[in-house]
Amino acid sequence: MSSADSTLYSGVPPRHFEDLALDTLFFARQSAREDVNVAKAMFAMTAGVAGLIASLSLPQIRAIASTNSSELRVRWDRDPELWRDLLVACRAGESQALAAIRRQAKLLFLTQA
């Protein structure tokens, strides 16, 4: 990781991104091992990718997370309104607003994936 990459996203330490990558990969691996269909839906992966993720060993996951965490990007990072609306709806506990934002995010996911 270059020095420019060491302060991704407003000075967040790179270690946080490595932890996020590690946790996400562990979760994806466990999901793929328990139910491929759930993993496919949650992580938008194909059956082949789910099989590959499920087959990774813990050392392989750690290696992937530590060497590739600089590649993490927040989905829809150029859509601050989506994130604002999500946070506002979550704080207010507005179930209808949350459902609408989830639908919007799913549509974005399908059109940009």
Side-chain angles (χ1 to χ4, degrees), residues 28-45:
R29 177 180 177 256
Q30 190 62 34
S31 298
R33 286 181 169 200
E34 290 183 19
D35 190 330
V36 168
N37 291 320
V38 170
K40 286 169 47 179
M42 284 183 6
F43 294 97
M45 61 175 94

Side-chain angles (χ1 to χ4, degrees), residues 90-109:
C90 285
R91 287 181 111 179
E94 298 175 5
S95 59
Q96 288 183 344
L98 279 171
I101 293 165
R102 285 188 184 115
R103 279 191 301 278
Q104 180 184 357
K106 287 176 186 176
L107 289 172
L108 286 171
F109 180 78

Side-chain angles (χ1 to χ4, degrees), residues 33-105:
R33 286 181 169 200
E34 290 183 19
D35 190 330
V36 168
N37 291 320
V38 170
K40 286 169 47 179
M42 284 183 6
F43 294 97
M45 61 175 94
T46 64
V49 171
L52 179 65
I53 296 286
S55 72
L56 293 172
S57 68
L58 296 180
Q60 287 172 315
I61 288 176
R62 284 188 179 91
I64 291 168
S66 68
T67 59
N68 295 291
S69 61
S70 64
E71 300 302 319
L72 282 177
R73 297 294 178 262
V74 174
R75 189 176 297 269
W76 310 302
D77 61 340
R78 290 183 173 83
D79 192 351
E81 292 83 19
L82 174 79
W83 293 105
R84 182 200 61 222
D85 293 347
L86 178 61
L87 290 171
V88 168
C90 285
R91 287 181 111 179
E94 298 175 5
S95 59
Q96 288 183 344
L98 279 171
I101 293 165
R102 285 188 184 115
R103 279 191 301 278
Q104 180 184 357

